Amino acid sequence: MDLASTIEYVVTDKGLLAIADKVKNGERISEEDCLLLFEKGELGFVGALANHVQERLHHNKVYFNRNFHIEPTNVCVFTCNFCSYSRQYKHRDDGWELSIEQMMDIVRKYDGQPVTEVHIVGGVHPKMNLEFFCELLSRIRTHRPDLHLKGFTAVELDYMFRKAKVSTEEGMRRMNEAGLQSLPGGGAEIFHPDVREVICADKVDGDGWLAIHETAHNLGMHSNATMLYGHIEKYEHRVDHMSRLRQLQDKTGGFNCFIPLKFRNKGNDMSHIAESNIVEDLRLYAIARIFMDNFRNLKAYWPMLGRQTAQLTLSFGVNDLDGTIDDTTKIYSMAGSEEQSPSLTTEELCDMIQAVGKTAVERDTLYNEIKVYA
Ligand code: V47
Ligand code: SF4
């Protein structure tokens, strides 16, 4: 039985069948369609459609990247309610603040190792400014010119540029000249003000986040986009968030991938909110794959999702697994992820991918293939 007949056999809702037709014909689905998928699309249905899209785009390839993280500080001027990681400046003795030399020690630890990317992200420290980070970037670039420098969420950049009293264009140009090549996708959370004002009222708003990424894209840089899901947001807010990203991607084409981030509830001011269940997680990944038609890549970040759920997402639209080797990032372990010390060898990661019948492919930041693991 082909995809169309299987779907007609199990699904009778006319709206859902019309969406299945669009997906089969490679047509874009609307915001209303996306909402209907959230409201009525059962896991098997959205999974079959998402897998169809994934195979059309990537055959059976699943990518991973060898990177390492630097977290300069967890001291932060902002007070996002979902954050388990940050410490206020007045409590900075409980947190960490790395000097440029300490961060260079981390970089030097990877000398001679086949990593292709460094991911720099942390809290928004009132004293770590534009000049400080430009110096860090140029030091890393001089030491290791082959590393792709990906760093700083739009939240960090927005604060840094405002503090330095420079425009977004000027600030981004300076970071780019110092060596910054891509932006990670953090800080996006949920753009809609009804949610943003409750969960992270004091940091850059949705328009500001999008404007920073648009500026980076206009300078020829690439970036990722995230969505923090599974807390107080409604399906409408997810659709609005993904639609705004899809519109910017239509305009610039600068996003490399979309990364849904599952809200974890330990040790933060939203601990009373239950975490989403695995069916909701998989449905979300599948619906994102179907709706975000101009994002080539859908990424799961396994240190936060857990290895088994991350492995399952590979059959629900995901074609990229992040958090590969020696990933010691603290943001999720502090928020309750079961992966307290997340680290996987390349062999373990390939096994995870191959166990679901897919081919593991090492990529660089821009998704150029480095090695196919047959
Ligand atoms: O913006 C914070 C999220 C993000 C919690 O671009 C939480 O390649 C769940 O964006 N539960 C930062 N999530 C991490 C991030 C990221 C990670 C991996 C790869 C990339 C990439 C980007 O972490 C924050 C926020 O959305 N976060 N607290 C929490 N309790
Ligand atoms: Fe600061 Fe980021 Fe935590 Fe918000 S999520 S409090 S911006 S470290």
Side-chain angles (χ1 to χ4, degrees):
M1 228 190 253
D2 65 8
L3 176 72
S5 343
T6 313
I7 283 170
E8 276 166 34
Y9 181 68
V10 288
V11 176
T12 50
D13 183 285
K14 284 203 171 55
L16 291 178
L17 284 174
I19 294 173
D21 268 341
K22 286 188 190 174
V23 175
K24 196 182 69 187
N25 297 328
E27 288 166 32
R28 171 167 281 192
I29 69 161
S30 67
E31 289 183 25
E32 293 71 32
D33 293 336
C34 188
L35 191 58
L36 189 69
L37 289 179
F38 276 123
E39 284 168 347
K40 293 195 180 164
E42 282 176 19
L43 181 61
F45 173 71
V46 293
L49 295 185
N51 206 39
H52 177 77
V53 176
Q54 183 198 5
E55 283 180 1
R56 191 171 60 216
L57 287 168
H58 303 287
H59 307 286
N60 69 343
K61 289 180 180 170
V62 173
Y63 296 93
F64 69 92
N65 183 21
R66 294 192 206 223
N67 65 3
F68 66 96
H69 287 234
I70 298 179
E71 296 177 85
T73 183
N74 68 339
V75 173
C76 190
V77 297
F78 297 119
T79 54
C80 306
N81 290 336
F82 53 80
C83 184
S84 323
Y85 159 92
S86 64
R87 295 291 174 271
Q88 287 177 0
Y89 187 67
K90 60 182 177 204
H91 298 132
R92 62 189 181 284
D93 289 349
D94 297 342
W96 68 88
E97 297 165 309
L98 302 185
S99 65
I100 292 191
E101 222 32 69
Q102 286 171 312
M103 292 190 260
M104 287 308 296
D105 284 342
I106 299 176
V107 175
R108 284 189 281 263
K109 246 179 42 193
Y110 292 90
D111 282 357
Q113 291 196 34
V115 285
T116 59
E117 174 189 284
V118 52
H119 179 157
I120 310 169
V121 73
V124 180
H125 193 292
K127 302 225 161 113
M128 290 181 176
N129 59 18
L130 182 58
E131 216 178 311
F132 176 86
F133 284 122
C134 283
E135 189 189 335
L136 173 69
L137 290 165
S138 21
R139 291 275 307 272
I140 301 176
R141 190 173 53 172
T142 308
H143 181 77
R144 185 100 193 242
D146 60 313
L147 272 187
H148 186 106
L149 305 190
K150 178 177 97 180
F152 310 106
T153 63
V155 175
E156 294 165 271
L157 294 170
D158 171 67
Y159 183 84
M160 239 185 268
F161 299 162
R162 281 191 290 115
K163 193 124 197 209
K165 297 196 170 38
V166 296
S167 65
T168 304
E169 288 74 14
E170 172 63 12
M172 199 65 79
R173 195 185 50 72
R174 281 205 218 165
M175 294 290 268
N176 187 221
E177 281 171 7
L180 188 67
Q181 290 160 284
S182 299
L183 310 188
E189 323 312 359
I190 289 284
F191 293 141
H192 199 287
D194 288 354
V195 175
R196 204 167 182 88
E197 275 158 25
V198 178
I199 65 168
C200 54
D202 53 359
K203 69 186 185 188
V204 68
D205 64 10
D207 287 341
W209 189 99
L210 289 160
I212 285 181
H213 283 254
E214 184 168 359
T215 307
H217 297 172
N218 290 339
L219 284 172
M221 299 164 75
H222 289 265
S223 71
N224 296 336
T226 58
M227 175 171 78
L228 181 71
Y229 74 91
H231 42 90
I232 60 162
E233 90 288 0
K234 298 200 162 63
Y235 290 150
E236 286 84 346
H237 300 126
R238 296 181 184 180
V239 175
D240 173 73
H241 187 93
M242 295 196 294
S243 178
R244 293 181 71 181
L245 288 171
R246 194 170 79 165
Q247 283 167 40
L248 181 55
Q249 181 73 331
D250 276 342
K251 206 165 155 191
T252 66
F255 286 115
N256 277 335
C257 71
F258 180 54
I259 317 162
L261 294 171
K262 175 191 173 94
F263 165 65
R264 307 302 306 242
N265 69 2
K266 190 170 148 228
N268 55 49
D269 290 344
M270 286 165 56
S271 293
H272 56 288
I273 296 170
E275 292 180 357
S276 60
N277 62 45
I278 189 166
V279 173
E280 266 302 293
D281 294 335
L282 296 175
R283 265 175 20 92
L284 172 79
Y285 276 92
I287 295 169
R289 181 57 287 169
I290 298 164
F291 183 72
M292 307 290 269
D293 60 344
N294 53 3
F295 278 67
R296 263 192 80 73
N297 302 295
L298 180 66
K299 176 152 104 178
Y301 186 56
W302 68 260
M304 162 271 275
L305 259 187
R307 291 174 207 210
Q308 289 185 342
T309 308
Q311 192 180 27
L312 278 171
T313 64
L314 301 180
S315 302
F316 291 84
V318 166
N319 69 296
D320 191 18
L321 276 185
D322 194 3
T324 51
I325 47 161
D326 192 25
D327 188 336
T328 52
T329 183
K330 297 188 184 64
I331 198 157
Y332 292 110
S333 52
M334 288 170 83
S337 165
E338 55 272 36
E339 307 287 348
Q340 291 300 315
S341 176
S343 134
L344 270 185
T345 63
T346 305
E347 203 184 356
E348 287 168 329
L349 191 83
C350 290
D351 284 349
M352 251 170 88
I353 295 170
Q354 285 158 353
V356 294
K358 309 267 178 184
T359 304
V361 180
E362 185 187 344
R363 63 165 177 91
D364 66 13
T365 309
L366 303 179
Y367 289 82
N368 298 305
E369 291 187 9
I370 295 178
K371 184 172 172 188
V372 178
Y373 290 78

